Amino acid sequence: MKLPNIKILDEKDKRLHQVSEEVTFPLDKKTIQTIYDALDYLEMSQNEELAEKYDLRAGMGLSFCQIGIMKRIFVVSEDFGDGTFGRYIVINPKVLSHSEELIYVGEGEGCLSVEEDHQGFVPRSARIKVKAYDCIKEKEIVFRLEGYPAIVLQHEIDHFSGTLFYDRINKQNPWTPIEDAIVIE
């Protein structure tokens, strides 16, 4: 398998701190190709042999601003552990509602655009309801997520406003447990 031509921006790139634009339709062929290249890249990054061969850090999600395209598109490729992946393409997502209950990853979050070590808990809503355009079904969809998938979705949506995960870490007490929150290990 050949590595797609995906160049991930570093956190120091000013584009990662800017607001992404709404996507207009129909999608052009180049955008569609980039979507599938990004999914292939993520899947290769989660394959130990290919990740070592191409020196890739494992990633599950990728927002288009991370590759220098300031559009509200992100992709997620979830490794099911049996050689198959769940592929998700999310365009122009809008949060319709979210829970007051919080959740966070016990070891902290990471990002393909962030190589420096930024440790601490990142509080997120435990449940989220989102409306987005599904380019596979070619229609708007509404979906609800909870737990780890809700964290991934919120992480990627944050990219659209120029927010990186470490912007949400409590700077004074990064490892202080968040009261009454669910911890994902």
Side-chain angles (χ1 to χ4, degrees):
M1 182 175 230
K2 184 180 177 211
L3 183 67
N5 187 22
I6 296 289
K7 302 290 183 230
I8 298 174
L9 302 179
D10 180 81
E11 67 182 296
K12 293 174 186 79
D13 192 297
K14 66 180 181 178
R15 290 172 285 184
L16 287 174
H17 305 280
Q18 296 174 347
V19 175
S20 295
E21 301 173 3
E22 289 281 318
V23 175
T24 56
F25 298 97
L27 298 177
D28 59 65
K29 288 181 182 180
K30 184 177 178 183
T31 300
I32 293 169
Q33 183 61 53
T34 303
I35 287 169
Y36 289 102
D37 285 349
L39 286 164
D40 288 346
Y41 181 97
L42 290 173
E43 289 167 14
M44 291 175 76
S45 81
Q46 294 177 65
N47 176 305
E48 283 186 41
E49 184 179 308
L50 293 174
E52 185 174 328
K53 177 180 179 179
Y54 293 111
D55 192 29
L56 304 174
R57 291 187 310 142
M60 185 175 175
L62 188 64
S63 181
F64 266 40
C65 68
Q66 291 179 269
I67 55 174
I69 302 171
M70 303 308 293
K71 299 289 184 186
R72 294 176 60 86
I73 301 173
F74 72 80
V75 297
V76 173
S77 185
E78 180 183 8
D79 186 348
F80 292 141
D82 61 0
T84 64
F85 291 86
R87 290 182 152 202
Y88 308 95
I89 303 163
V90 182
I91 302 174
N92 294 337
K94 292 189 181 11
V95 176
L96 300 176
S97 63
H98 60 85
S99 67
E100 293 295 321
E101 183 178 33
L102 297 177
I103 190 171
Y104 61 94
V105 179
E107 57 192 33
E109 290 184 24
C111 180
L112 289 174
S113 291
V114 179
E115 289 194 37
E116 291 183 25
D117 197 18
H118 296 276
Q119 296 188 9
F121 297 135
V122 182
R124 304 279 187 187
S125 294
R127 291 172 301 287
I128 188 167
K129 180 178 176 183
V130 174
K131 176 172 67 171
Y133 185 80
D134 181 323
C135 74
I136 295 171
K137 296 178 182 174
E138 296 186 348
K139 67 178 186 174
E140 234 175 30
I141 58 170
V142 174
F143 53 97
R144 290 176 177 83
L145 296 172
E146 62 183 59
Y148 192 71
I151 291 171
V152 172
L153 183 84
Q154 290 168 82
H155 176 109
E156 298 305 331
I157 289 175
D158 270 356
H159 278 298
F160 298 148
S161 64
T163 302
L164 296 175
F165 75 91
Y166 58 77
D167 296 326
R168 296 191 176 278
I169 295 173
N170 179 329
K171 305 299 183 247
Q172 284 74 41
N173 299 301
W175 292 111
T176 299
I178 301 165
E179 192 173 323
D180 297 326
I182 300 167
V183 182
I184 300 285
E185 296 299 336

Coordinates of all heavy atoms in Angstrom, one line a residue, residues 83-171:
G83 N -8.9 -6.2 11.6 CA -8.5 -5.9 10.3 C -9.5 -5.0 9.5 O -9.2 -4.7 8.4
T84 N -10.6 -4.7 10.1 CA -11.5 -3.8 9.5 C -11.6 -2.5 10.2 O -11.3 -2.4 11.4 CB -12.9 -4.4 9.4 OG1 -13.4 -4.6 10.7 CG2 -12.9 -5.8 8.7
F85 N -12.1 -1.5 9.5 CA -12.2 -0.1 10.1 C -13.6 0.5 9.8 O -14.2 0.2 8.8 CB -11.2 0.8 9.4 CG -9.8 0.5 9.7 CD1 -9.0 -0.4 9.0 CD2 -9.1 1.2 10.8 CE1 -7.7 -0.7 9.3 CE2 -7.8 0.9 11.1 CZ -7.1 0.0 10.4
G86 N -14.1 1.3 10.7 CA -15.3 2.1 10.5 C -14.8 3.4 10.0 O -14.0 4.0 10.6
R87 N -15.3 3.8 8.9 CA -14.9 5.1 8.3 C -16.1 6.1 8.4 O -17.2 5.8 8.1 CB -14.7 4.9 6.8 CG -13.4 4.1 6.5 CD -13.1 4.0 5.0 NE -11.7 3.9 4.8 CZ -11.1 4.2 3.7 NH1 -11.8 4.6 2.6 NH2 -9.8 4.1 3.6
Y88 N -15.7 7.3 8.9 CA -16.7 8.3 9.1 C -16.2 9.6 8.5 O -15.1 10.0 8.7 CB -16.9 8.5 10.6 CG -17.2 7.2 11.3 CD1 -16.2 6.5 12.0 CD2 -18.5 6.7 11.3 CE1 -16.5 5.3 12.6 CE2 -18.8 5.5 12.0 CZ -17.8 4.8 12.6 OH -18.1 3.6 13.2
I89 N -17.1 10.2 7.7 CA -16.8 11.5 7.0 C -17.8 12.5 7.5 O -19.0 12.3 7.4 CB -16.9 11.3 5.5 CG1 -15.9 10.2 5.0 CG2 -16.6 12.7 4.8 CD1 -16.3 9.7 3.6
V90 N -17.3 13.5 8.2 CA -18.2 14.5 8.8 C -18.0 15.9 8.2 O -16.9 16.4 8.2 CB -18.0 14.5 10.3 CG1 -19.0 15.5 11.0 CG2 -18.2 13.1 10.9
I91 N -19.0 16.5 7.6 CA -18.9 17.8 7.0 C -19.9 18.7 7.6 O -21.1 18.4 7.8 CB -19.2 17.6 5.4 CG1 -18.2 16.6 4.8 CG2 -19.1 18.9 4.7 CD1 -18.5 16.2 3.4
N92 N -19.4 19.9 7.9 CA -20.2 21.0 8.4 C -21.0 20.6 9.7 O -22.2 20.9 9.8 CB -21.2 21.6 7.4 CG -20.5 22.3 6.2 OD1 -19.4 22.7 6.4 ND2 -21.2 22.4 5.1
P93 N -20.4 20.0 10.6 CA -21.1 19.5 11.8 C -21.6 20.7 12.7 O -20.9 21.7 12.8 CB -20.1 18.7 12.6 CG -18.8 19.3 12.2 CD -18.9 19.7 10.8
K94 N -22.8 20.6 13.3 CA -23.3 21.5 14.2 C -23.8 20.8 15.4 O -24.5 19.8 15.3 CB -24.5 22.3 13.6 CG -24.1 23.2 12.4 CD -25.2 24.0 11.9 CE -24.9 24.9 10.8 NZ -23.7 24.8 10.1
V95 N -23.3 21.2 16.6 CA -23.7 20.6 17.8 C -25.1 21.1 18.1 O -25.4 22.3 18.3 CB -22.7 21.0 19.0 CG1 -23.2 20.4 20.3 CG2 -21.3 20.5 18.7
L96 N -26.1 20.1 18.2 CA -27.5 20.4 18.6 C -27.7 20.4 20.1 O -28.4 21.2 20.6 CB -28.4 19.4 17.9 CG -28.3 19.3 16.4 CD1 -29.2 18.2 15.9 CD2 -28.7 20.7 15.8
S97 N -27.0 19.5 20.8 CA -27.1 19.5 22.2 C -25.9 18.7 22.8 O -25.3 17.9 22.1 CB -28.4 18.9 22.7 OG -28.5 17.6 22.3
H98 N -25.7 18.9 24.1 CA -24.6 18.1 24.7 C -25.0 18.0 26.2 O -25.8 18.8 26.7 CB -23.3 18.8 24.6 CG -23.2 20.1 25.1 ND1 -22.9 20.4 26.5 CD2 -23.4 21.3 24.5 CE1 -22.9 21.7 26.6 NE2 -23.2 22.3 25.5
S99 N -24.5 16.9 26.8 CA -24.8 16.7 28.2 C -24.0 17.7 29.1 O -22.9 18.1 28.7 CB -24.4 15.3 28.6 OG -23.0 15.1 28.5
E100 N -24.5 17.9 30.3 CA -23.8 18.6 31.3 C -22.7 17.7 32.0 O -21.7 18.2 32.4 CB -24.7 19.2 32.4 CG -25.7 20.2 31.9 CD -25.0 21.5 31.4 OE1 -24.0 21.9 32.1 OE2 -25.4 22.1 30.4
E101 N -23.0 16.4 32.0 CA -22.1 15.4 32.5 C -20.8 15.4 31.7 O -20.8 15.5 30.4 CB -22.7 14.0 32.5 CG -21.8 13.0 33.1 CD -22.5 11.6 33.1 OE1 -23.3 11.3 32.2 OE2 -22.3 10.9 34.0
L102 N -19.7 15.4 32.3 CA -18.4 15.4 31.7 C -17.7 14.1 31.6 O -18.0 13.2 32.3 CB -17.5 16.4 32.4 CG -17.9 17.9 32.4 CD1 -17.0 18.8 33.1 CD2 -18.1 18.4 30.9
I103 N -16.7 14.0 30.7 CA -15.9 12.8 30.5 C -14.5 13.2 30.1 O -14.3 14.3 29.6 CB -16.6 11.9 29.4 CG1 -16.0 10.6 29.3 CG2 -16.5 12.7 28.0 CD1 -16.7 9.6 28.3
Y104 N -13.5 12.4 30.4 CA -12.2 12.7 29.9 C -11.4 11.4 29.8 O -11.7 10.4 30.4 CB -11.5 13.7 30.8 CG -11.3 13.3 32.3 CD1 -10.1 12.6 32.7 CD2 -12.3 13.5 33.2 CE1 -9.9 12.3 34.0 CE2 -12.1 13.2 34.5 CZ -10.9 12.5 34.9 OH -10.7 12.2 36.2
V105 N -10.3 11.4 29.0 CA -9.4 10.3 28.8 C -8.4 10.3 30.0 O -7.8 11.3 30.2 CB -8.7 10.3 27.5 CG1 -7.8 9.2 27.3 CG2 -9.7 10.4 26.3
G106 N -8.3 9.2 30.7 CA -7.5 9.1 31.9 C -6.0 9.4 31.6 O -5.3 9.9 32.5
E107 N -5.5 9.1 30.5 CA -4.1 9.4 30.2 C -3.9 10.7 29.4 O -2.8 11.0 28.9 CB -3.5 8.2 29.5 CG -4.2 7.8 28.2 CD -3.7 6.5 27.6 OE1 -3.4 5.6 28.4 OE2 -3.7 6.3 26.4
G108 N -5.0 11.4 29.2 CA -4.9 12.6 28.4 C -5.2 12.4 26.9 O -5.2 11.3 26.5
E109 N -5.3 13.5 26.2 CA -5.5 13.4 24.7 C -4.2 13.6 24.0 O -3.3 14.2 24.5 CB -6.6 14.4 24.3 CG -8.0 14.0 24.7 CD -9.1 15.0 24.2 OE1 -8.9 15.6 23.1 OE2 -10.1 15.1 24.8
G110 N -4.2 13.3 22.7 CA -3.1 13.6 21.8 C -3.7 14.1 20.5 O -4.9 14.1 20.3
C111 N -2.8 14.5 19.6 CA -3.2 15.0 18.3 C -2.1 14.9 17.3 O -0.9 15.0 17.7 CB -3.6 16.5 18.5 SG -4.1 17.4 17.0
L112 N -2.4 14.5 16.1 CA -1.4 14.3 15.1 C -0.6 15.6 14.8 O 0.5 15.6 14.3 CB -2.0 13.8 13.8 CG -2.5 12.3 13.9 CD1 -3.3 11.9 12.6 CD2 -1.4 11.4 14.1
S113 N -1.2 16.8 15.1 CA -0.6 18.1 14.8 C 0.3 18.5 16.0 O 0.9 19.5 15.9 CB -1.6 19.1 14.5 OG -2.2 18.9 13.2
V114 N 0.2 17.8 17.1 CA 0.9 18.2 18.3 C 1.9 17.2 18.7 O 1.6 16.1 19.2 CB -0.1 18.4 19.5 CG1 0.6 18.8 20.8 CG2 -1.2 19.4 19.1
E115 N 3.2 17.5 18.5 CA 4.3 16.6 18.9 C 4.8 16.9 20.3 O 5.3 16.0 20.9 CB 5.4 16.7 17.8 CG 5.0 16.1 16.5 CD 6.2 15.8 15.6 OE1 7.2 15.4 16.1 OE2 6.0 16.0 14.4
E116 N 4.7 18.1 20.7 CA 5.2 18.5 22.1 C 4.3 17.8 23.1 O 3.1 17.5 22.8 CB 5.2 20.0 22.3 CG 6.2 20.7 21.4 CD 6.3 22.2 21.7 OE1 5.9 22.6 22.8 OE2 6.7 22.9 20.8
D117 N 4.8 17.6 24.3 CA 4.1 16.9 25.3 C 3.2 18.0 26.1 O 3.8 18.9 26.7 CB 5.0 16.2 26.3 CG 4.4 15.2 27.2 OD1 3.2 14.8 26.8 OD2 4.9 14.9 28.2
H118 N 1.9 17.8 26.0 CA 1.0 18.7 26.7 C 0.1 17.8 27.6 O -0.9 17.2 27.1 CB 0.1 19.5 25.8 CG 0.8 20.5 24.9 ND1 1.1 21.7 25.3 CD2 1.3 20.3 23.7 CE1 1.8 22.4 24.4 NE2 1.9 21.5 23.3
Q119 N 0.5 17.6 28.8 CA -0.2 16.6 29.7 C -1.3 17.3 30.5 O -1.3 18.5 30.9 CB 0.8 16.0 30.6 CG 1.8 15.2 29.9 CD 2.7 14.4 30.8 OE1 2.5 14.3 32.0 NE2 3.7 13.8 30.3
G120 N -2.4 16.5 30.7 CA -3.5 16.9 31.6 C -4.8 16.4 31.1 O -4.9 15.8 30.0
F121 N -5.8 16.5 31.9 CA -7.1 16.0 31.5 C -7.8 17.1 30.7 O -7.7 18.3 30.9 CB -8.0 15.8 32.8 CG -7.4 14.7 33.7 CD1 -7.3 14.9 35.0 CD2 -7.0 13.5 33.1 CE1 -6.8 13.9 35.9 CE2 -6.5 12.5 34.0 CZ -6.4 12.7 35.3
V122 N -8.6 16.6 29.7 CA -9.3 17.5 28.8 C -10.8 17.2 29.0 O -11.3 16.2 28.6 CB -8.9 17.2 27.3 CG1 -9.7 18.1 26.4 CG2 -7.4 17.3 27.1
P123 N -11.5 18.1 29.7 CA -12.9 17.8 29.9 C -13.8 18.0 28.6 O -13.6 18.9 27.9 CB -13.3 18.9 31.0 CG -12.3 20.0 30.8 CD -11.1 19.3 30.3
R124 N -14.7 17.0 28.4 CA -15.6 17.0 27.3 C -17.0 16.6 27.8 O -17.1 16.0 28.8 CB -15.1 15.9 26.3 CG -13.7 16.1 25.8 CD -13.6 17.1 24.7 NE -12.2 17.1 24.1 CZ -11.8 18.0 23.3 NH1 -12.7 19.0 22.9 NH2 -10.6 18.0 22.8
S125 N -18.0 16.9 27.0 CA -19.3 16.4 27.3 C -19.4 14.9 27.1 O -18.8 14.4 26.1 CB -20.3 17.1 26.3 OG -20.4 18.5 26.6
A126 N -20.0 14.2 28.0 CA -20.1 12.8 27.9 C -21.0 12.3 26.8 O -20.8 11.2 26.2 CB -20.7 12.2 29.2
R127 N -22.0 13.1 26.4 CA -22.9 12.8 25.3 C -23.1 14.0 24.4 O -23.1 15.1 25.0 CB -24.3 12.3 25.8 CG -24.2 11.0 26.5 CD -25.5 10.6 27.2 NE -25.9 11.6 28.2 CZ -25.4 11.7 29.4 NH1 -24.3 11.0 29.8 NH2 -25.8 12.6 30.3
I128 N -23.2 13.8 23.1 CA -23.4 14.9 22.2 C -24.3 14.5 21.1 O -24.3 13.4 20.6 CB -22.0 15.4 21.7 CG1 -22.1 16.7 20.9 CG2 -21.3 14.3 21.0 CD1 -20.7 17.3 20.7
K129 N -25.1 15.5 20.6 CA -26.0 15.3 19.5 C -25.6 16.3 18.4 O -25.5 17.5 18.7 CB -27.4 15.5 19.9 CG -28.5 15.3 18.8 CD -29.9 15.5 19.3 CE -30.9 15.5 18.2 NZ -32.2 15.8 18.8
V130 N -25.3 15.7 17.2 CA -24.7 16.6 16.1 C -25.5 16.4 14.8 O -26.0 15.2 14.5 CB -23.3 16.2 15.9 CG1 -22.7 16.9 14.7 CG2 -22.4 16.5 17.2
K131 N -25.6 17.4 14.1 CA -26.2 17.4 12.7 C -25.0 17.6 11.8 O -24.2 18.6 12.0 CB -27.3 18.5 12.5 CG -27.8 18.5 11.1 CD -29.0 19.5 11.0 CE -28.6 20.9 11.3 NZ -29.7 21.8 11.0
A132 N -24.9 16.8 10.7 CA -23.8 17.0 9.8 C -24.2 16.5 8.4 O -25.2 15.8 8.3 CB -22.5 16.3 10.3
Y133 N -23.4 16.8 7.4 CA -23.7 16.3 6.1 C -22.9 15.0 5.9 O -21.7 15.0 6.2 CB -23.3 17.3 5.0 CG -23.7 16.9 3.6 CD1 -25.0 17.0 3.2 CD2 -22.8 16.3 2.8 CE1 -25.4 16.6 1.9 CE2 -23.1 15.9 1.5 CZ -24.4 16.1 1.1 OH -24.8 15.6 -0.2
D134 N -23.5 14.0 5.4 CA -22.9 12.7 5.1 C -22.7 12.6 3.6 O -23.7 12.5 2.9 CB -23.8 11.6 5.6 CG -23.2 10.2 5.4 OD1 -22.6 10.0 4.3 OD2 -23.4 9.3 6.3
C135 N -21.5 12.7 3.1 CA -21.3 12.7 1.7 C -21.4 11.3 1.0 O -21.5 11.2 -0.2 CB -19.9 13.3 1.3 SG -18.5 12.3 1.6
I136 N -21.5 10.3 1.8 CA -21.7 9.0 1.3 C -23.2 8.8 1.0 O -23.6 8.4 -0.1 CB -21.2 7.9 2.2 CG1 -19.7 8.0 2.4 CG2 -21.6 6.5 1.8 CD1 -19.1 7.1 3.4
K137 N -24.0 9.2 2.0 CA -25.5 9.1 1.8 C -26.1 10.3 1.1 O -27.2 10.3 0.7 CB -26.2 9.0 3.2 CG -25.8 7.7 3.9 CD -26.5 7.6 5.2 CE -26.0 6.3 6.0 NZ -26.5 6.3 7.3
E138 N -25.2 11.4 0.9 CA -25.6 12.6 0.3 C -26.8 13.2 0.9 O -27.8 13.6 0.2 CB -25.7 12.4 -1.2 CG -24.5 12.0 -1.9 CD -24.6 11.9 -3.4 OE1 -25.7 12.0 -4.0 OE2 -23.5 11.8 -4.1
K139 N -26.8 13.3 2.2 CA -27.9 14.0 2.9 C -27.4 14.4 4.3 O -26.4 13.9 4.8 CB -29.1 13.1 3.0 CG -28.9 11.9 3.9 CD -30.2 11.1 3.9 CE -30.1 9.9 4.9 NZ -31.3 9.2 5.1
E140 N -28.2 15.3 4.9 CA -27.9 15.6 6.3 C -28.3 14.5 7.2 O -29.4 13.9 7.0 CB -28.6 16.9 6.6 CG -27.7 18.0 7.2 CD -28.4 19.3 7.4 OE1 -29.6 19.4 7.7 OE2 -27.7 20.3 7.3
I141 N -27.5 14.3 8.3 CA -27.9 13.3 9.2 C -27.8 13.9 10.6 O -27.1 14.8 10.8 CB -27.0 12.0 9.1 CG1 -25.5 12.4 9.3 CG2 -27.2 11.3 7.8 CD1 -24.5 11.3 9.4
V142 N -28.4 13.3 11.6 CA -28.3 13.6 13.0 C -27.9 12.4 13.7 O -28.5 11.3 13.5 CB -29.7 14.2 13.5 CG1 -29.6 14.4 15.0 CG2 -30.1 15.4 12.8
F143 N -26.9 12.5 14.6 CA -26.5 11.4 15.3 C -26.1 11.8 16.7 O -25.8 12.9 17.0 CB -25.3 10.6 14.6 CG -24.1 11.5 14.3 CD1 -23.0 11.6 15.1 CD2 -24.2 12.2 13.1 CE1 -22.0 12.4 14.8 CE2 -23.1 13.0 12.7 CZ -22.0 13.1 13.6
R144 N -26.2 10.8 17.6 CA -25.8 10.9 19.0 C -24.7 10.0 19.3 O -24.6 8.9 18.9 CB -27.0 10.5 19.9 CG -28.2 11.5 19.9 CD -29.3 10.9 20.7 NE -30.5 11.8 20.8 CZ -31.4 11.9 19.9 NH1 -31.4 11.1 18.8 NH2 -32.4 12.7 20.0
L145 N -23.7 10.6 20.1 CA -22.5 9.8 20.5 C -22.3 9.9 22.0 O -22.7 11.0 22.5 CB -21.3 10.3 19.7 CG -21.3 10.1 18.2 CD1 -20.1 10.8 17.6 CD2 -21.3 8.6 17.8
E146 N -21.7 8.9 22.6 CA -21.3 9.0 24.0 C -20.0 8.3 24.2 O -19.6 7.6 23.3 CB -22.4 8.4 24.9 CG -22.7 7.0 24.7 CD -23.8 6.5 25.6 OE1 -24.9 7.0 25.5 OE2 -23.6 5.6 26.4
G147 N -19.4 8.6 25.3 CA -18.1 8.0 25.6 C -17.0 8.4 24.7 O -16.9 9.5 24.2
Y148 N -16.1 7.5 24.4 CA -14.9 7.8 23.6 C -15.3 8.4 22.2 O -14.6 9.4 21.8 CB -14.0 6.6 23.4 CG -12.7 6.9 22.9 CD1 -11.7 7.6 23.7 CD2 -12.3 6.6 21.6 CE1 -10.5 8.0 23.2 CE2 -11.1 6.9 21.1 CZ -10.2 7.6 21.9 OH -8.9 8.0 21.4
P149 N -16.2 7.9 21.5 CA -16.6 8.5 20.2 C -17.0 10.0 20.3 O -16.7 10.8 19.5 CB -17.7 7.6 19.6 CG -17.5 6.3 20.3 CD -17.0 6.6 21.6
A150 N -17.7 10.3 21.4 CA -18.1 11.7 21.7 C -16.8 12.6 21.9 O -16.8 13.7 21.5 CB -19.0 11.8 22.9
I151 N -15.8 12.0 22.6 CA -14.6 12.7 22.8 C -13.9 13.0 21.4 O -13.5 14.1 21.2 CB -13.6 11.9 23.7 CG1 -14.2 11.9 25.1 CG2 -12.2 12.5 23.7 CD1 -13.4 11.0 26.1
V152 N -13.8 12.0 20.6 CA -13.2 12.2 19.3 C -13.9 13.2 18.5 O -13.2 14.1 17.9 CB -13.1 10.8 18.5 CG1 -12.6 11.0 17.1 CG2 -12.2 9.8 19.3
L153 N -15.2 13.2 18.4 CA -16.0 14.1 17.7 C -15.7 15.6 18.2 O -15.5 16.5 17.4 CB -17.5 13.8 17.8 CG -18.4 14.7 17.0 CD1 -18.4 14.2 15.5 CD2 -19.7 14.8 17.6
Q154 N -15.7 15.8 19.5 CA -15.5 17.1 20.0 C -14.1 17.6 19.8 O -13.9 18.8 19.5 CB -15.8 17.1 21.5 CG -17.3 16.9 21.8 CD -17.6 16.6 23.3 OE1 -17.6 17.6 24.1 NE2 -17.8 15.4 23.6
H155 N -13.1 16.7 19.8 CA -11.7 17.0 19.5 C -11.6 17.6 18.1 O -11.0 18.6 17.9 CB -10.9 15.8 19.7 CG -9.4 16.0 19.4 ND1 -8.4 16.1 20.3 CD2 -8.8 16.2 18.2 CE1 -7.3 16.3 19.7 NE2 -7.5 16.3 18.4
E156 N -12.2 16.9 17.2 CA -12.2 17.3 15.8 C -12.9 18.6 15.5 O -12.5 19.4 14.8 CB -12.6 16.1 14.8 CG -11.8 14.9 14.9 CD -10.3 15.1 14.7 OE1 -9.9 16.0 13.9 OE2 -9.5 14.3 15.2
I157 N -14.1 18.7 16.1 CA -14.9 19.9 15.9 C -14.2 21.1 16.5 O -14.2 22.2 15.9 CB -16.3 19.8 16.6 CG1 -17.2 18.8 15.7 CG2 -17.0 21.1 16.7 CD1 -18.5 18.5 16.3
D158 N -13.4 20.9 17.6 CA -12.6 22.0 18.2 C -11.6 22.6 17.1 O -11.4 23.8 17.1 CB -11.8 21.5 19.4 CG -12.6 21.7 20.7 OD1 -13.7 22.3 20.7 OD2 -12.0 21.3 21.7
H159 N -11.1 21.7 16.3 CA -10.2 22.2 15.3 C -10.8 23.3 14.4 O -10.1 24.2 13.9 CB -9.7 21.1 14.4 CG -8.6 20.3 15.0 ND1 -7.3 20.8 15.3 CD2 -8.5 19.0 15.3 CE1 -6.5 19.9 15.8 NE2 -7.2 18.7 15.8
F160 N -12.1 23.2 14.1 CA -12.7 24.2 13.3 C -12.7 25.6 13.8 O -12.9 26.6 13.1 CB -14.2 23.8 12.9 CG -14.3 22.5 12.2 CD1 -15.4 21.6 12.4 CD2 -13.3 22.0 11.3 CE1 -15.5 20.4 11.7 CE2 -13.4 20.8 10.6 CZ -14.5 20.0 10.9
S161 N -12.6 25.7 15.1 CA -12.5 27.1 15.8 C -11.1 27.4 16.1 O -10.9 28.4 16.8 CB -13.5 27.1 17.0 OG -13.0 26.2 18.0
G162 N -10.1 26.6 15.7 CA -8.8 26.9 16.0 C -8.3 26.5 17.4 O -7.3 27.0 18.0
T163 N -9.1 25.6 18.1 CA -8.9 25.2 19.4 C -8.2 23.9 19.4 O -8.6 22.9 18.7 CB -10.2 25.1 20.2 OG1 -10.8 26.3 20.2 CG2 -9.9 24.6 21.7
L164 N -7.0 23.8 20.1 CA -6.3 22.5 20.2 C -6.6 21.9 21.6 O -7.0 22.6 22.5 CB -4.8 22.7 20.1 CG -4.4 23.2 18.7 CD1 -2.9 23.5 18.6 CD2 -4.8 22.2 17.6
F165 N -6.5 20.6 21.7 CA -6.9 19.9 23.0 C -6.3 20.5 24.2 O -7.0 20.6 25.3 CB -6.6 18.4 22.9 CG -5.2 18.0 23.1 CD1 -4.7 17.8 24.3 CD2 -4.4 18.0 22.0 CE1 -3.3 17.4 24.5 CE2 -3.0 17.6 22.1 CZ -2.5 17.4 23.4
Y166 N -5.1 21.0 24.1 CA -4.4 21.5 25.3 C -4.9 22.8 25.8 O -4.7 23.3 26.9 CB -2.9 21.5 25.2 CG -2.3 22.2 24.0 CD1 -2.2 23.6 24.0 CD2 -1.8 21.6 22.9 CE1 -1.7 24.3 23.0 CE2 -1.3 22.2 21.9 CZ -1.2 23.6 21.9 OH -0.7 24.3 20.8
D167 N -5.7 23.5 24.9 CA -6.3 24.8 25.3 C -7.4 24.5 26.3 O -7.8 25.5 27.0 CB -6.9 25.4 24.1 CG -5.9 25.9 23.0 OD1 -4.8 26.3 23.4 OD2 -6.3 25.8 21.8
R168 N -7.8 23.3 26.5 CA -8.9 22.9 27.4 C -8.4 22.4 28.7 O -9.1 22.1 29.6 CB -9.9 22.0 26.8 CG -10.6 22.5 25.6 CD -11.7 21.6 25.2 NE -12.5 22.2 24.1 CZ -13.5 23.1 24.2 NH1 -13.8 23.6 25.4 NH2 -14.1 23.6 23.2
I169 N -7.1 22.2 28.8 CA -6.5 21.6 30.0 C -6.3 22.7 31.1 O -5.9 23.9 30.8 CB -5.1 21.0 29.7 CG1 -5.2 19.8 28.8 CG2 -4.3 20.6 31.0 CD1 -3.9 19.3 28.3
N170 N -6.7 22.4 32.3 CA -6.5 23.3 33.5 C -5.0 23.6 33.6 O -4.3 22.7 34.0 CB -7.1 22.7 34.7 CG -7.0 23.6 35.9 OD1 -6.0 24.4 36.1 ND2 -7.9 23.5 36.8
K171 N -4.6 24.8 33.3 CA -3.1 25.1 33.4 C -2.5 25.0 34.8 O -1.4 24.6 34.9 CB -2.8 26.5 32.8 CG -3.4 26.7 31.4 CD -2.8 25.8 30.4 CE -3.3 26.1 29.0 NZ -4.1 25.1 28.4

